[in-house]
Amino acid sequence: MKATFLGHATVYLETSKTKIVIDPFLTGNPKASAKADDLEPDFIVLTHGHGDHIGDALPIAKRTGATIISTYELATWLGSQGAKASPQNHGGWCKYPFGAVKFTQAIHSSSVPDENGRPIYLGEPAGAIIQIEGKTVFHAGDTALFSDMKLIGDEVAIDLAFLPIGEHFVMGPKDAAKAVEFLHPKVVVPIHYGTFPPLVGDPKEFARLAEGKAKVAILQPGESVEV
Ligand code: NI
Ligand code: MN
């Protein structure tokens, strides 16, 4: 399986049979390495409702017919706007032709502003465990460090993890390195840093702190890892 980092928290998973995009934020993303129209996913996995995660999900879903897999409130809300949607909720596996998806806890929030700037809440934020053609990918979404990450690492052998390290809105490098200890993935890719000024977390610091716990792959937008 090839996993390409498209900038910020956007990840594109490709096998010979299936393409999945996670948190497609390309339009308005200063670090995006692709355009929304370049992607032809079969499925779109969304961790939470913030604009830098749902981003282009709706137009991509409408153009390609891809199914949006997300938590109940977010998936049904996007489904009501014309997307094909598969609502799940935290803790339960759901099977798909490519494998299965389970949403985990994430300590964060999930909303979009209404026309007056007031938040419309979109359920609980999540991380996503994606089993695809025999490989296990964990995308933590936006989150703080939490000790129940140990349970995730104990349940599944993670081949590839994407962890936010940006500080301010999510974990910084130090907490993310602790998360690596809990999750013990084979390969970890730091994400959600450097896109906007508050996201100051340094991937080199993360790599130094996580050294020996997992193979750290610092990907520039557009770069891939094979697992
Ligand atoms: Ni967020
Ligand atoms: Mn975010």
Side-chain angles (χ1 to χ4, degrees), residues 8-9 23 48 50-53 108 141-142 169-170 192 199:
H8 196 57
D23 287 357
H48 65 292
H50 287 152
D52 59 324
H53 296 260
H108 194 63
D142 282 356
F169 298 113
V170 293
H192 207 283
L199 297 174

Side-chain angles (χ1 to χ4, degrees), residues 8 31 164-174 176 190-207 209:
H8 196 57
K31 299 279 168 131
I165 66 144
E167 295 278 15
H168 199 105
F169 298 113
V170 293
M171 297 187 284
K174 195 174 166 201
I191 60 171
H192 207 283
Y193 63 88
T195 323
F196 304 111
L199 297 174
V200 295
D202 176 3
K204 292 201 188 79
E205 185 192 357
F206 170 72
L209 294 169

Side-chain angles (χ1 to χ4, degrees), residues 118-206:
R118 283 183 295 242
I120 300 168
Y121 268 88
L122 291 168
E124 298 298 312
I129 309 171
I130 302 173
Q131 295 193 319
I132 169 168
E133 316 292 353
K135 299 290 178 185
T136 299
V137 177
F138 177 61
H139 188 296
D142 282 356
T143 188
L145 176 66
F146 55 95
S147 60
D148 279 1
M149 285 179 179
K150 283 180 192 165
L151 297 176
I152 302 168
D154 287 349
E155 185 196 358
V156 287
I158 299 169
D159 294 295
L160 179 59
F162 293 89
L163 301 184
I165 66 144
E167 295 278 15
H168 199 105
F169 298 113
V170 293
M171 297 187 284
K174 195 174 166 201
D175 283 0
K178 190 75 187 169
V180 174
E181 224 173 281
F182 291 161
L183 295 162
H184 48 85
K186 283 196 193 108
V187 180
V188 62
V189 177
I191 60 171
H192 207 283
Y193 63 88
T195 323
F196 304 111
L199 297 174
V200 295
D202 176 3
K204 292 201 188 79
E205 185 192 357
F206 170 72

